[in-house]
Every structure is written in C-alpha cells, then in structure tokens.
Amino acid sequence: MAGKSGNAFDFDLFKRLLRYTQPYKLTFYFVAIAAILLSGFAVARPYLTKLTIDESIVPKDGGNLLLYVGLMIGALVLEVICQFSFIFFANWLGQQVVRDIRVNLFEHMLNFKKQYYDKSAVGRLVTRAVSDIETIASIFSQGLFMIISDLLKMLVVLGVMFFMSWKLTLLVLAVLPFILYATRVFQKKMKVAFEEVRTQVSNLNSFVQERITGMKIVQIFGREETEYERFKDINDKHRNAWVRTVWYNSIFFPIAEISSSITIGLIVWFGGLRVVESNTLSLGVIIMFIELAQMLFRPLRQIADKFNTLQMGMVAANRVFGILDTESTIENNGTKEAKNLVGEIQFKDVRFSYIENEEVLKGISFEVKAGETIAIVGATGAGKSTIINLLSRFYEIDSGSISVDNINIKDFTLKSLRNEIAVVLQDVFLFADTIMSNITLNNENITEAEVIEAAKQIGVNKFIETLPNGYYYNVKERGVMLSSGQRQLIAFLRAYVSNPSILVLDEATSSVDSYSEQLIQEATDKITKGRTSIVIAHRLATVKKADKIIVMDAGKIVEIGNHQQLLQQENGYYRNLYEVQFMQEEEA
C-alpha cells in the first residue's frame, strides 16, 4: 500500500486519496479551472506593466497611462476573485474529503475485534483519527491545488518569456537546474523527516493520554519524577524530529533565494547591455523579465514548501489507510436473526488462545438450560472472563463450537446476537455523559419512563434521584463522579433495560461499600430471575443460589455441580475454595 520511506512521492497512495474526491467532481473541476485562470491573470500583470512602460512612460503618453492603469486594476480584481474562489473551494473540498475518510475510519474501527484494541495504544489510534486526518485536509487546501496552480503559472511564465526574448529566457533557465536539483533532494529528505515527525507525534500523544488516564496510579506509587523524565525523553525526540525539518528548510530556502537574486542580476546585466548597445530590447521587457523571473522562482520555492505540506499529508494518509487496510474484524456471515431467544447455551470442546500456541481455554464443554443461572468460579487466569467474551463473539474461537438454542452463534448476525446478550463487566465503563444516556446508550426505543420503572424494580432509583439533576447528572469521563458501586449499579440498570434473553455478569464487589453491595445483590437477584444467566461469581450468596456451578482451573473445567454436590467431593477444588474463601465470608 504505502511507498517506501525516502521515496519522494507515492502515486498509488495519491490516486487512492483522489478517489475520495469523486462525489465532489464539480467542485474539483471548478478549483482546477480557477487554478488555470490564476496562472493567466498572474502573467497579465507583468505584461501590462511592460506596455505601460514602453507605450506610456517612455514616450510620455498620459492618455495610454490611464488606460493601462485601468486594465491593471481590472486584471487585479479578476485575480482576487479567482484567488478567493480557489482558496475557499480548495479548503471546502479538503474538509469534505477528510470528513468522509474519518467516517470510514471510525466505522471500520467500530467493527475491529477486541483483540485489535488489546494490542493497540489508544493514543496512537486517536492520533490517526484526529490529527493525522486533519493533516490530510492540508493536501487539498495547501498542497495539491496550490502546487498545480504554481506549476501552471510557471509554464505560462516560461511560454511568455520565450515569446518575448528567447535569449533572456535561456539566461534564466541556466540557473534553473541548480534549484531543481536542490528541490528534488529537499523533497526526499523531507519525506523521511516528516515520517519521523508523525511517529514522534503519535508516541507523544500515546504517552500523554495513558499517563493522564492513569495519573492516580502514577501518584499512588510516587512515579511522578520517573514519568517526568520519560516524558522529557519522548518530548526531546519529538523536538529533534521537527528540528530536522527546520534544518532542511534553513538550507534549501537560502539556496532558492540566492538563485533568484543571481538570475535577476543576469537579466539586468545582459538586458541592460542590449538596451544600451543595440537597443534590441526595451526597458519594459527588462522590467517584465525581472517580474517574470521572480514569478518563476517564487512558485518553485513555494512548491517546495507546499510539497512539505503534501508530504506530511501523504505520510498521514499512509498511516490512516494502514488502519483502513487492517483486516481485524469478526466474521459476520450469519443470516439468522437472534430474536426472543429461549437461552439454551452449549459449549462443545471449545479451545481458544489470545496468543498463538498459548491456549487459555483447553477444550471446555458445558450446557446451560433456559432460565438457569450458572456461576463460574476459579482462580485468576482460569479462563472465566474469556468464556463471556467468546459468547458475545468479541473473539473467534480456535476450535469447537458455541451454540445458543441449538444454533451455532456464527449463524446469527453479529448485531442481533449481541442485542440478545447483555454483559455487565467488572470494570464498568461510563461515558462522559448523563446517567440517562449511559443507561440507554441513546437508544431511541428505550423511554425515560421505562428507565425509571426499571430502576425502581431493581432498587437503584433512590440513589439516582439523590444526585444533582437525577437521571441527567453528568458522570464525567469514565464515570469518575460516581463510586465503583454506583457505577456497577448503573451498568446493571443498563443491562436490565435492554431486556436481554441472556445475561452475563462479572459481579466483583471487592471495592464497594456494604450498602452498595446489598443493592448489587438485590439487583443481581432481580435481573437474573427468569432468564438464562452466566455469572462470574465472587460472593458466596451468588454461588449458593446458582443452579449450577462451573469450577475452572488453568483453562479447564475441573468440576460441575450445585453448591451442595460440590461440597461433598473430598479434596475437591470447589470444596478447597469454599474453605479458603467462601467460608470466611459466611462466618463474617
């Protein structure tokens, strides 16, 4: 997809980018026409200056002087109109394109496997979706069309120069190869430099985002100084990357300026001799050539500068398309709609690994009857959370099968399957929005009345109404304005109002107060009643009430049965767990 580092330009990538302009063809062509007209008006002014000098000032003809001044004013007005149209619509087109790319990118990211996000830094993805895409906009607003306009202007300028005096034109062109060579080297160096800049910007964003999110941990463990030093190091690399681009600019632009000055000097010397000795050139032609030479070299310098912008945009496009080309989506070829499921679940010899050849689940099999509550217990890392992730198809299994109502979950459409399964995770995530929005997730089919009624049924209405603005209290980023117990209650309510056929709970309450724990227990009893439920159980009360307990160890199911059955197994895993953990809870 992408060009190799150091290549001056990647035409395949550029053509791919241009495809996004197809819906805006008329605007694209209008901007192109405006660029052509600008090149014509730009040359018109020096030519009118030449006529004014040769036909009005030198012969001292006041009548012609007014005429040519009027023509120059008219040409300037038309040039300003074209310039305005060109700049406005080029920027408008750029914003339309980046809007479409950003929508495509976000839609693509919405369908990524959870595994993709496990391995990707959030800061880098934010950089791709925000700042990198904004940089792409500059390709159209400051890069592509500006370069085209400048190139057309240079071609028109050369044509007029040859027409007026081929000798003076050759004199100008004698200097041109040096600046062209310098421009070419400059472009290649800047391509590499800008790739490094984008990398360091991404690293910086990622570091800052993670440290701000995890600032509590940084402060708890007294890592401020260490993180400060690491930030300084990353910031230095970011600065050095930018300084490298400044270094190349500081070399190139003086070379371009000197070349332009030398050219003007040669025009004055050679043209002046022709005027003085043979009168083969007019004063107006010399003045015109000085203006045209500046117009020839100035766009060349600007092209190099705009090529920097184009290169930065291309590097950003390369990174964005890298995500768009990433195939990391869950296969969604199912044709059946999962509606009003009975809730029978069957795992058959399911094997799964997050990392190849490192199995987390090692051939587990179990059945859950409709309406049953299954508790899953076991040590950390036994594979409990993996089971609930696989049921919702956040990951693809390596082998075996998972069925709901005797239908393989792969045969259901992904959206309909997930609509029938509500998941309450141990690490509750709330958006920086109102409680109402966090419960309904802006689902228009769930009314405020339904939310309040559901809250009353599971016993959380009173706590919500004590908050400022009640259901419209803004919980801020990740729900920091609520306690962990309150966040979990909101998550329970969110699951309950979705009216799922299957409920999956991770009911950890290690960091909640006794009152919240009581509310959570009551909520658990209410929302699991009458529907198939799989609970990663952390409390004895939940385990004892479960119809069936699945005991896991190191990715395998070691025991299955109810509370009383499992206690009767001498030296059983569950009995040992009960004696070590649950008995203490019961005594307390």
Coordinates of all heavy atoms in Angstrom, one line a residue, residues 457-503:
Q457 N -37.6 -1.1 40.0 CA -37.7 -2.6 40.1 C -36.4 -3.2 40.7 O -36.5 -4.2 41.5 CB -38.0 -3.2 38.8 CG -39.4 -3.0 38.3 CD -39.7 -3.6 36.9 OE1 -38.9 -4.4 36.4 NE2 -40.8 -3.1 36.3
I458 N -35.3 -2.7 40.3 CA -34.0 -3.3 40.8 C -33.4 -2.5 42.0 O -32.3 -2.8 42.5 CB -33.0 -3.5 39.7 CG1 -32.5 -2.2 39.2 CG2 -33.5 -4.4 38.6 CD1 -31.3 -2.3 38.2
G459 N -34.2 -1.5 42.5 CA -33.8 -0.8 43.7 C -32.7 0.2 43.6 O -32.0 0.5 44.6
V460 N -32.5 0.9 42.4 CA -31.5 1.9 42.3 C -32.0 3.3 42.1 O -31.3 4.2 41.9 CB -30.5 1.5 41.2 CG1 -29.8 0.2 41.4 CG2 -31.1 1.5 39.8
N461 N -33.4 3.4 42.0 CA -34.0 4.7 41.7 C -33.7 5.7 42.8 O -33.4 6.9 42.5 CB -35.5 4.5 41.6 CG -36.2 5.8 41.2 OD1 -35.9 6.4 40.2 ND2 -37.1 6.2 42.1
K462 N -33.7 5.3 44.1 CA -33.5 6.2 45.2 C -32.1 6.9 45.1 O -31.9 8.1 45.3 CB -33.7 5.5 46.5 CG -35.1 5.2 46.8 CD -35.3 4.6 48.2 CE -36.7 4.3 48.5 NZ -36.9 3.6 49.8
F463 N -31.1 6.0 44.8 CA -29.7 6.5 44.8 C -29.5 7.5 43.6 O -28.9 8.6 43.8 CB -28.7 5.4 44.7 CG -27.8 5.4 43.5 CD1 -26.8 6.3 43.4 CD2 -27.9 4.4 42.5 CE1 -25.9 6.3 42.3 CE2 -27.1 4.4 41.4 CZ -26.1 5.4 41.3
I464 N -30.2 7.2 42.5 CA -30.0 8.1 41.3 C -30.7 9.5 41.6 O -30.2 10.5 41.3 CB -30.6 7.5 40.1 CG1 -29.8 6.3 39.7 CG2 -30.6 8.5 38.9 CD1 -30.3 5.5 38.5
E465 N -31.9 9.4 42.3 CA -32.6 10.7 42.5 C -31.9 11.6 43.5 O -32.3 12.7 43.6 CB -34.0 10.3 42.9 CG -34.9 9.8 41.8 CD -36.4 9.6 42.2 OE1 -36.6 9.5 43.4 OE2 -37.2 9.6 41.3
T466 N -31.0 11.0 44.3 CA -30.3 11.8 45.3 C -29.2 12.7 44.6 O -28.7 13.6 45.2 CB -29.7 11.0 46.4 OG1 -28.7 10.0 45.8 CG2 -30.7 10.2 47.2
L467 N -28.9 12.3 43.4 CA -27.8 13.0 42.7 C -28.3 14.4 42.1 O -29.5 14.5 41.8 CB -27.3 12.2 41.5 CG -26.6 10.9 41.9 CD1 -26.3 10.0 40.7 CD2 -25.3 11.1 42.7
P468 N -27.5 15.4 42.0 CA -27.9 16.6 41.3 C -28.4 16.3 39.9 O -27.8 15.6 39.2 CB -26.7 17.5 41.3 CG -25.8 16.9 42.4 CD -26.1 15.4 42.4
N469 N -29.6 16.8 39.6 CA -30.2 16.6 38.3 C -30.7 15.1 38.0 O -31.1 14.8 36.9 CB -29.3 17.0 37.1 CG -29.0 18.5 37.2 OD1 -29.9 19.3 37.5 ND2 -27.8 18.9 36.9
G470 N -30.5 14.3 39.1 CA -31.0 12.9 39.0 C -30.5 12.2 37.8 O -29.3 12.0 37.6
Y471 N -31.4 11.7 36.9 CA -31.0 10.9 35.8 C -30.2 11.7 34.7 O -29.6 11.1 33.8 CB -32.3 10.3 35.1 CG -32.9 9.2 35.9 CD1 -33.8 9.4 36.9 CD2 -32.5 7.8 35.7 CE1 -34.3 8.4 37.7 CE2 -33.0 6.8 36.4 CZ -34.0 7.1 37.4 OH -34.5 6.0 38.1
Y472 N -30.2 13.0 34.9 CA -29.5 13.8 33.9 C -28.2 14.4 34.6 O -27.6 15.4 34.1 CB -30.4 15.0 33.4 CG -31.4 14.4 32.5 CD1 -32.7 14.0 33.1 CD2 -31.2 14.1 31.2 CE1 -33.7 13.4 32.3 CE2 -32.2 13.5 30.4 CZ -33.4 13.1 31.0 OH -34.4 12.5 30.2
Y473 N -27.7 13.7 35.6 CA -26.4 14.1 36.2 C -25.3 13.6 35.3 O -25.3 12.4 34.9 CB -26.4 13.4 37.6 CG -25.1 13.6 38.3 CD1 -24.7 14.9 38.7 CD2 -24.2 12.5 38.6 CE1 -23.5 15.0 39.4 CE2 -23.0 12.7 39.3 CZ -22.7 14.0 39.7 OH -21.5 14.1 40.4
N474 N -24.4 14.5 35.0 CA -23.2 14.1 34.2 C -22.2 13.5 35.0 O -21.6 14.1 35.9 CB -22.7 15.4 33.4 CG -21.7 15.0 32.3 OD1 -20.8 14.2 32.5 ND2 -22.0 15.6 31.2
V475 N -21.8 12.2 34.6 CA -20.9 11.5 35.4 C -19.4 11.7 35.1 O -18.5 11.1 35.7 CB -21.2 9.9 35.3 CG1 -22.6 9.6 35.8 CG2 -21.0 9.5 33.9
K476 N -19.2 12.6 34.1 CA -17.8 12.9 33.6 C -17.1 11.7 33.0 O -17.7 10.6 32.9 CB -17.0 13.6 34.7 CG -17.7 14.8 35.3 CD -17.9 15.9 34.3 CE -18.6 17.1 35.0 NZ -18.9 18.1 34.0
E477 N -15.9 11.9 32.6 CA -15.1 10.9 31.9 C -15.0 9.6 32.8 O -14.6 9.6 33.9 CB -13.7 11.4 31.6 CG -13.0 10.4 30.7 CD -11.6 11.0 30.2 OE1 -11.3 12.1 30.6 OE2 -10.9 10.3 29.5
R478 N -15.4 8.5 32.2 CA -15.3 7.1 32.8 C -16.1 7.0 34.1 O -15.9 6.1 34.9 CB -13.8 6.7 33.0 CG -13.0 6.6 31.8 CD -11.6 6.1 32.1 NE -11.6 4.7 32.5 CZ -11.6 3.7 31.6 NH1 -11.4 3.9 30.3 NH2 -11.6 2.4 32.1
G479 N -17.0 8.0 34.3 CA -17.9 7.9 35.5 C -17.2 8.3 36.8 O -17.6 7.7 37.8
V480 N -16.2 9.1 36.7 CA -15.4 9.4 37.9 C -16.2 10.1 39.0 O -15.8 10.1 40.2 CB -14.2 10.3 37.6 CG1 -13.2 9.6 36.7 CG2 -14.6 11.6 36.9
M481 N -17.4 10.7 38.7 CA -18.2 11.3 39.7 C -19.0 10.3 40.5 O -19.6 10.7 41.5 CB -19.1 12.3 39.0 CG -18.4 13.4 38.2 SD -17.2 14.3 39.1 CE -18.2 15.3 40.2
L482 N -18.9 9.1 40.2 CA -19.6 8.0 41.0 C -18.7 7.1 41.6 O -17.5 6.9 41.1 CB -20.6 7.2 40.0 CG -21.6 8.0 39.2 CD1 -22.4 7.1 38.3 CD2 -22.6 8.8 40.2
S483 N -19.1 6.4 42.7 CA -18.3 5.4 43.3 C -18.3 4.1 42.4 O -19.1 4.0 41.5 CB -18.8 5.1 44.7 OG -20.1 4.4 44.6
S484 N -17.4 3.2 42.7 CA -17.4 2.0 41.9 C -18.7 1.2 42.1 O -19.1 0.6 41.1 CB -16.2 1.1 42.4 OG -16.2 0.8 43.8
G485 N -19.2 1.2 43.3 CA -20.5 0.5 43.5 C -21.6 1.1 42.7 O -22.5 0.5 42.1
Q486 N -21.7 2.5 42.7 CA -22.7 3.2 41.9 C -22.5 3.0 40.4 O -23.5 2.8 39.7 CB -22.6 4.7 42.2 CG -23.1 5.1 43.6 CD -22.8 6.5 44.0 OE1 -21.9 7.1 43.5 NE2 -23.6 7.1 44.9
R487 N -21.3 2.9 39.9 CA -21.1 2.7 38.5 C -21.6 1.3 38.2 O -22.2 1.1 37.1 CB -19.6 2.8 38.2 CG -19.0 4.2 38.2 CD -17.7 4.3 37.5 NE -16.7 3.6 38.1 CZ -15.9 4.0 39.1 NH1 -16.1 5.3 39.5 NH2 -14.9 3.3 39.6
Q488 N -21.4 0.3 39.1 CA -21.8 -1.0 38.8 C -23.3 -1.1 38.7 O -23.9 -1.8 37.9 CB -21.2 -2.0 39.7 CG -21.4 -3.5 39.3 CD -20.5 -4.4 40.0 OE1 -20.4 -4.3 41.3 NE2 -19.8 -5.4 39.4
L489 N -24.0 -0.4 39.6 CA -25.4 -0.3 39.6 C -26.0 0.3 38.3 O -27.0 -0.2 37.8 CB -25.9 0.5 40.8 CG -25.8 -0.2 42.2 CD1 -26.0 0.8 43.3 CD2 -26.8 -1.4 42.3
I490 N -25.3 1.3 37.8 CA -25.7 1.9 36.5 C -25.6 0.8 35.4 O -26.4 0.7 34.5 CB -24.9 3.1 36.2 CG1 -25.1 4.2 37.3 CG2 -25.2 3.7 34.8 CD1 -26.6 4.7 37.3
A491 N -24.5 0.1 35.5 CA -24.3 -1.0 34.5 C -25.3 -2.1 34.6 O -25.8 -2.6 33.5 CB -22.9 -1.6 34.7
F492 N -25.8 -2.4 35.8 CA -26.8 -3.4 36.0 C -28.1 -2.9 35.3 O -28.8 -3.6 34.6 CB -27.1 -3.7 37.4 CG -26.2 -4.8 38.0 CD1 -24.9 -4.6 38.2 CD2 -26.8 -6.0 38.4 CE1 -24.1 -5.6 38.7 CE2 -26.0 -7.0 38.9 CZ -24.6 -6.8 39.1
L493 N -28.4 -1.6 35.6 CA -29.6 -1.0 35.0 C -29.6 -0.9 33.5 O -30.6 -1.2 32.8 CB -29.8 0.4 35.6 CG -31.1 1.2 35.2 CD1 -32.3 0.3 35.5 CD2 -31.2 2.5 36.0
R494 N -28.4 -0.6 33.0 CA -28.2 -0.6 31.5 C -28.5 -1.9 30.9 O -29.1 -2.0 29.9 CB -26.7 -0.2 31.2 CG -26.4 -0.1 29.8 CD -25.2 0.8 29.5 NE -24.0 0.2 30.1 CZ -22.8 0.9 30.3 NH1 -22.8 2.2 29.8 NH2 -21.8 0.4 30.8
A495 N -28.0 -3.0 31.6 CA -28.3 -4.3 31.1 C -29.8 -4.7 31.2 O -30.4 -5.3 30.3 CB -27.5 -5.4 31.8
Y496 N -30.4 -4.3 32.3 CA -31.8 -4.7 32.6 C -32.7 -4.0 31.6 O -33.7 -4.7 31.1 CB -32.1 -4.2 34.0 CG -33.5 -4.7 34.5 CD1 -33.8 -6.1 34.4 CD2 -34.4 -3.9 35.0 CE1 -35.0 -6.6 34.9 CE2 -35.7 -4.3 35.4 CZ -35.9 -5.7 35.4 OH -37.2 -6.1 35.8
V497 N -32.5 -2.7 31.2 CA -33.5 -2.1 30.3 C -33.4 -2.6 28.9 O -34.3 -2.4 28.1 CB -33.3 -0.5 30.3 CG1 -33.6 0.0 31.7 CG2 -31.9 -0.1 29.9
S498 N -32.3 -3.2 28.6 CA -32.1 -3.8 27.2 C -32.9 -5.1 27.0 O -33.0 -5.6 25.9 CB -30.6 -4.0 26.9 OG -30.1 -5.1 27.7
N499 N -33.5 -5.6 28.2 CA -34.3 -6.8 28.2 C -33.7 -7.9 27.4 O -34.2 -8.4 26.4 CB -35.7 -6.4 27.5 CG -36.7 -7.5 27.8 OD1 -36.6 -8.2 28.8 ND2 -37.7 -7.6 26.9
P500 N -32.5 -8.4 27.8 CA -31.8 -9.4 27.1 C -32.4 -10.8 27.4 O -33.1 -11.1 28.4 CB -30.4 -9.4 27.7 CG -30.6 -8.9 29.1 CD -31.8 -8.0 29.1
S501 N -32.1 -11.7 26.4 CA -32.5 -13.1 26.6 C -31.5 -13.8 27.5 O -31.8 -14.8 28.2 CB -32.6 -13.9 25.3 OG -33.6 -13.2 24.5
I502 N -30.2 -13.4 27.4 CA -29.1 -14.0 28.1 C -28.4 -12.9 28.8 O -28.1 -11.8 28.3 CB -28.2 -14.7 27.2 CG1 -28.9 -15.9 26.5 CG2 -27.0 -15.3 28.0 CD1 -28.1 -16.5 25.4
L503 N -28.1 -13.1 30.1 CA -27.4 -12.1 30.9 C -26.0 -12.7 31.3 O -26.0 -13.8 31.8 CB -28.2 -11.8 32.1 CG -27.7 -10.6 33.0 CD1 -27.8 -9.3 32.3 CD2 -28.5 -10.6 34.3

